[in-house]
């Protein structure tokens, strides 16, 4: 690479002897750093995706080289322009790689502040038009780099809820794709158009719009804020367990997705994160030691995002999480997946007799069906059965299943006496409720944004900001009261209380009870399969059918003028 660069210098600057030694050294050093950075970046692909320790030192080295490279090209831009022929798109490539590093650091650590860093590098590329000259060169592979940059930038903006920027980027990307396909007549046109369709559907997935007075859309964040989780009262006896790790698994057929995130995965990952802080004031460069002044708040739980994993992939990640789980910590497993039902009759009622949820099959699914038809006594192979999770109940386990066969997990057995809770979605929704499943599950929406879910089941599709904020305040009051109901209950299973000391799990439990109580009071949710369930069961009269909570729900409905959607005196209807 260095020899090539020097030849390039000769062609652009005359005889090699005419070039000052210092300038030649600058180009040589730049080529070395560029080469080294590419080598390290490509090596990131070979790192194992699971396990939280092995990758850190490698990431640190990669960051160091990119930081040096970035500063080096800033300090010596003039020489590199004249002698190396440095193009603006090459600077854009370096910035884009740094953005990717920050994004991957976020995926590895779940620290949302790294998203802000990725955003600032991606923004700089756009503001400084680093890629603007690419279209003038007759090289389709350079244009593809530009298109990929747009797709990556969109993912980061979606995760930061910067929807206004997303809309601008989608418009620019659309123009770029049109120009690219028109000029190069390539075969990947269909794929790029699919990217546009996916992101458009993703943006429109929320069933309710919150509007400002000028009718612009309010962007609401559903990450945990300082006032998010109901505070524990003095004297509340709850466990000291902390949520340390989470597996977020998405394997629903036909659900809106972008990149490798379904809308359900996207919503759940935000429910397990705090609002991002400004990174600069909080810590040093990734891979380096943290600054002496540590952030006051506890960090986010680590998480793995698994899109359509096979059984082996899922089990490998699960085992890695289980192995690295610290003492007094909880592992959360979130399954948003198509239900798999038992194919044959079984005389027993064991943990492999009720089916479970779908895992991805690498082979043709039709072939799998044929095997089942041959022998009805075999269990479903591409399926995560409740029994598959039994070995992991040796440590505290918090499971959320959003599926048409979630009830398979109701037949759990707590073998090891460790805290264990399963929150299970309804297995069917009323026909009168327009089918929204493609735009994400209603149950997950309740766990991520309970007010939006409440508005949706009440038949509302838009709302003024003032009223939205008033309802959010009221919902916080409801959450506080649900927390009291749980901790004051005399017959509740201790597992719920052992998880209640963690802010994230406390919020998920209170939202689950709000969801369940709302559905039980709703006029069109009349079948048992329309209601969420849990293992262990909650005492209904003290929680999901508590008259005090029902009164609150009717009050919230009154604020929104939708009281007619709910039953006035539900206790008489049971």
């Amino acid at each position: 690479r260095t020899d090539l660069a020097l030849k390039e210098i000769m062609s652009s600057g005359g005889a090699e002897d005419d070039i000052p030694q210092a300038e030649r050294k600058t180009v040589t050093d730049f080529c070395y750093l560029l080469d080294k950075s590419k080598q390290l970046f490509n090596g990131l692909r070979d790192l194992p995706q699971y396990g939280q320790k092995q990758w850190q030192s490698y990431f640190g080295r990669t960051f160091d080289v990119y930081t040096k490279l970035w500063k080096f090209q800033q300090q010596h831009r003039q020489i590199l322009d004249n002698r190396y022929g440095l193009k603006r798109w090459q600077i854009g490539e370096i910035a884009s790689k740094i953005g990717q590093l920050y994004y991957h650091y976020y995926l590895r650590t779940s620290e949302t502040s790294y998203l802000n860093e990725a955003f600032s590098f991606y923004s700089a590329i756009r503001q400084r038009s680093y890629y603007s000259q690419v279209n003038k060169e007759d090289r389709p592979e350079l244009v593809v780099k530009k298109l990929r940059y747009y797709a990556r930038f969109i993912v980061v903006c979606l995760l930061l809820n910067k929807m206004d920027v997303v809309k601008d980027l989608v418009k620019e990307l659309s123009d770029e794709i049109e120009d690219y396909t028109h000029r190069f007549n390539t075969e990947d046109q269909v794929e790029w158009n699919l990217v546009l369709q996916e992101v458009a559907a993703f943006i429109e997935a929320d069933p309710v719009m919150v509007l400002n007075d000028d009718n612009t859309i309010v962007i609401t964040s559903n990450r945990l804020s300082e006032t998010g989780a109901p505070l524990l009262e003095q004297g509340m006896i709850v466990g000291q367990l902390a949520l340390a790790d989470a597996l977020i698994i998405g394997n629903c057929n036909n659900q809106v997705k972008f990149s490798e995130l379904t809308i359900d995965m996207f919503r759940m990952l935000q429910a397990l994160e705090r609002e991002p802080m400004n990174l600069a004031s909080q810590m040093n460069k990734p891979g380096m030691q943290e600054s002496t002044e540590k952030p006051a708040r506890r960090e986010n739980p680590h998480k793995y995002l698994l899109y359509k994993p096979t059984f082996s992939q899922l089990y490998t990640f699960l085992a890695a999480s289980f192995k690295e789980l610290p003492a007094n910590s909880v592992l959360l497993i979130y399954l948003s997946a198509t239900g798999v039902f038992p194919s044959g009759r079984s005389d027993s009622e064991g943990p492999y007799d009720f089916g479970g949820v779908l895992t991805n099959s690498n082979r043709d699914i039709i072939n799998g069906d044929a095997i089942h038809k041959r022998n009805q006594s075999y269990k479903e192979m591409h399926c995560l059965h409740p029994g598959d999770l039994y070995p992991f109940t040796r440590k505290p386990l918090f499971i959320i299943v959003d599926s048409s066969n979630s009830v398979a997990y109701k037949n759990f057995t707590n073998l090891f006496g460790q805290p264990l809770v399963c929150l299970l979605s309804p297995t069917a929704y009323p026909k009168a409720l327009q089918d929204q499943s493609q735009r994400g599950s209603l149950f997950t929406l309740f766990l991520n944004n309970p007010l939006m879910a409440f508005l949706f089941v009440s038949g509302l599709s838009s709302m003024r900001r003032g009223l939205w904020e008033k309802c959010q305040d009221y919902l916080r009051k409801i959450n506080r009261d649900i927390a009291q109901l749980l901790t004051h209950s005399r017959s509740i299973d201790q597992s719920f209380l052992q998880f209640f000391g963690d802010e994230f799990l406390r919020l998920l439990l209170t939202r689950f009870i709000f969801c369940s109580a709302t559905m039980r009071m709703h006029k069109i949710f009349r079948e048992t399969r329309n209601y969420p369930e849990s293992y262990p069961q909650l005492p209904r009269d003290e929680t999901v059918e508590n008259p005090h909570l029902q009164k609150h729900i009717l009050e919230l409905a009154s604020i929104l003028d939708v009281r007619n959607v709910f039953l006035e005196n539900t206790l008489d209807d049971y």
Side-chain angles (χ1 to χ4, degrees):
R1 295 284 172 91
T2 309
D3 293 343
L4 277 175
L6 291 172
K7 279 177 191 166
E8 214 171 307
I9 291 173
M10 285 180 72
S11 63
S12 60
E16 202 175 319
D17 297 342
D18 298 343
I19 297 158
Q21 188 66 36
E23 291 190 10
R24 190 179 308 169
K25 186 178 182 327
T26 298
V27 172
T28 310
D29 289 352
F30 176 74
C31 289
Y32 169 76
L33 282 172
L34 191 61
D35 221 22
K36 187 77 180 155
S37 68
K38 285 177 180 172
Q39 207 179 328
L40 285 167
F41 192 88
N42 292 337
L44 291 171
R45 294 187 195 123
D46 303 328
L47 291 176
Q49 290 173 295
Y50 49 84
Q52 291 181 49
K53 298 290 171 276
Q54 308 93 312
W55 57 273
Q56 277 177 322
S57 60
Y58 192 94
F59 253 83
R61 286 211 308 281
T62 312
F63 260 107
D64 279 344
V65 172
Y66 269 98
T67 306
K68 282 178 193 160
L69 180 64
W70 185 251
K71 285 180 179 164
F72 194 89
Q73 63 81 24
Q74 283 178 321
Q75 288 161 354
H76 304 286
R77 181 78 56 85
Q78 197 67 51
I79 295 170
L80 292 170
D81 279 354
N82 296 339
R83 301 298 187 192
Y84 176 78
L86 184 68
K87 294 187 166 64
R88 288 188 68 73
W89 66 261
Q90 289 172 303
I91 302 168
E93 266 302 275
I94 298 168
S96 179
K97 288 278 199 295
I98 296 172
Q100 286 176 64
L101 278 174
Y102 274 117
Y103 173 65
H104 283 287
Y105 211 80
Y106 156 73
L107 289 180
R108 294 266 184 178
T109 61
S110 300
E111 175 48 72
T112 30
S113 306
Y114 292 125
L115 285 172
N116 283 333
E117 298 299 305
F119 177 81
S120 64
F121 271 90
Y122 284 149
S123 291
I125 294 171
R126 185 164 166 246
Q127 282 159 3
R128 297 172 195 173
S129 308
Y130 282 140
Y131 280 126
S132 62
Q133 299 302 305
V134 161
N135 297 19
K136 291 180 182 171
E137 304 208 18
D138 197 27
R139 292 171 61 187
E141 73 278 10
L142 285 186
V143 183
V144 169
K145 282 181 190 287
K146 185 179 187 176
L147 300 182
R148 285 186 177 151
Y149 149 72
Y150 269 107
R152 292 185 182 112
F153 193 6
I154 287 169
V155 171
V156 168
C157 291
L158 284 171
L159 287 164
L160 287 169
N161 292 307
K162 294 183 185 288
M163 294 304 174
D164 295 351
V165 184
V166 171
K167 284 170 186 170
D168 291 344
L169 291 174
V170 169
K171 190 178 180 315
E172 288 171 29
L173 177 59
S174 175
D175 293 343
E176 293 289 348
I177 290 169
E178 202 172 315
D179 180 65
Y180 166 65
T181 51
H182 181 69
R183 282 173 59 216
F184 297 108
N185 192 21
T186 59
E187 290 173 10
D188 55 357
Q189 179 180 356
V190 176
E191 288 167 42
W192 281 110
N193 283 329
L194 186 63
V195 168
L196 284 176
Q197 287 163 22
E198 282 184 352
V199 72
F202 210 90
I203 297 167
E204 288 163 15
D206 281 355
V208 181
M209 286 189 298
V210 185
L211 300 171
N212 285 311
D213 292 340
D214 61 356
N215 283 345
T216 52
I217 295 173
V218 178
I219 307 304
T220 57
S221 172
N222 300 303
R223 286 190 170 91
L224 182 64
S225 60
E226 296 294 343
T227 57
L231 294 171
L232 292 171
E233 286 181 340
Q234 210 70 36
M236 272 188 184
I237 309 296
V238 295
Q240 298 304 305
L241 297 171
L243 177 61
D245 219 332
L247 265 77
I248 296 179
I249 296 148
N251 196 4
C252 278
N253 297 331
N254 305 325
Q255 197 177 85
V256 166
K257 65 165 270 284
F258 185 61
S259 187
E260 291 211 323
L261 274 183
T262 64
I263 193 75
D264 276 356
M265 291 169 73
F266 177 72
R267 285 173 176 156
M268 185 47 63
L269 77 87
Q270 297 203 36
L272 300 179
E273 290 180 349
R274 298 170 197 281
E275 281 296 340
M277 298 177 289
N278 181 2
L279 190 64
S281 62
Q282 288 296 345
M283 58 189 74
N284 292 329
K285 200 169 75 245
M288 308 300 279
Q289 287 300 307
E290 287 192 5
S291 57
T292 44
E293 288 184 43
K294 280 198 168 181
R297 299 183 295 179
R298 193 163 64 74
E299 56 196 28
N300 293 326
H302 172 265
K303 50 190 178 311
Y304 291 117
L305 306 174
L306 301 180
Y307 173 68
K308 297 205 165 177
T310 60
F311 177 80
S312 351
Q313 286 169 326
L314 199 159
Y315 230 56
T316 305
F317 279 86
L318 193 48
S321 284
F322 180 81
K323 177 175 174 278
E324 295 193 344
L325 198 69
N328 301 317
S329 296
V330 182
L331 172 59
L332 181 146
I333 302 169
Y334 168 78
L335 298 162
S336 157
T338 305
V340 176
F341 297 89
S343 54
R345 282 284 169 88
S346 172
D347 297 334
S348 60
E349 291 201 343
Y352 286 88
D353 293 319
F354 297 96
V357 300
L358 187 69
T359 54
N360 205 6
S361 151
N362 284 336
R363 288 171 303 170
D364 190 352
I365 205 84
I366 298 158
N367 182 30
D369 288 346
I371 293 167
H372 283 314
K373 288 188 175 68
R374 273 211 311 275
N375 192 331
Q376 296 273 306
S377 64
Y378 291 137
K379 303 302 177 197
E380 297 66 30
M381 202 188 302
H382 302 293
C383 169
L384 187 76
H385 298 265
D388 292 327
L389 297 179
Y390 276 22
F392 304 103
T393 60
R394 287 175 169 83
K395 292 182 181 179
L397 199 59
F398 193 98
I399 302 166
I400 301 171
V401 186
D402 196 337
S403 173
S404 54
N405 191 24
S406 58
V407 289
Y409 294 80
K410 200 170 69 170
N411 305 289
F412 236 85
T413 310
N414 190 340
L415 297 175
F416 302 105
Q418 290 292 316
L420 171 66
V421 161
C422 305
L423 306 182
L424 312 171
S425 71
T427 53
Y429 293 101
K431 288 198 166 54
L433 202 69
Q434 69 187 91
D435 182 29
Q436 283 280 322
S437 56
Q438 208 179 346
R439 291 164 74 174
S441 155
L442 179 59
F443 178 67
T444 293
L445 186 61
F446 261 105
L447 297 181
N448 158 266
N449 190 339
L451 181 54
M452 185 170 283
F454 189 86
L455 295 174
F456 172 67
V457 298
S458 304
L460 298 170
S461 59
S462 67
M463 158 119 324
R464 291 280 160 210
R465 183 180 196 147
L467 186 54
W468 170 269
E469 284 168 359
K470 182 181 177 184
C471 291
Q472 284 287 31
D473 282 344
Y474 194 75
L475 198 52
R476 274 190 278 275
K477 174 179 164 39
I478 293 178
N479 270 341
R480 284 196 298 273
D481 286 358
I482 292 173
Q484 281 187 2
L485 290 176
L486 270 174
T487 50
H488 293 175
S489 165
R490 288 165 186 252
S491 54
I492 195 166
D493 188 282
Q494 286 304 299
S495 280
F496 290 102
L497 298 178
Q498 282 168 301
F499 290 129
F500 214 64
D502 181 89
E503 284 179 280
F504 293 104
L505 300 180
R506 184 155 74 245
L507 201 52
L508 287 170
L509 284 167
T510 53
R511 285 172 174 176
F512 173 80
I513 289 170
F514 174 72
C515 167
S516 195
T518 298
M519 288 174 176
R520 286 168 183 278
M521 290 183 71
H522 200 291
K523 284 179 180 171
I524 63 168
F525 286 74
R526 297 310 332 130
E527 297 178 52
T528 315
R529 61 194 192 133
N530 297 159
Y531 307 139
E533 302 208 38
S534 68
Y535 168 88
Q537 282 196 334
L538 283 162
R540 279 198 211 167
D541 54 334
E542 291 182 301
T543 56
V544 295
E545 288 174 9
N546 177 279
H548 182 65
L549 176 54
Q550 291 176 337
K551 197 166 134 258
H552 277 330
I553 288 171
L554 287 177
E555 187 53 42
L556 180 60
S558 297
I559 296 171
L560 293 162
D561 202 19
V562 290
R563 196 158 171 149
N564 60 322
V565 173
F566 297 92
L567 298 165
E568 285 292 330
N569 195 348
T570 46
L571 291 181
D572 297 345
D573 290 299
Y574 280 92

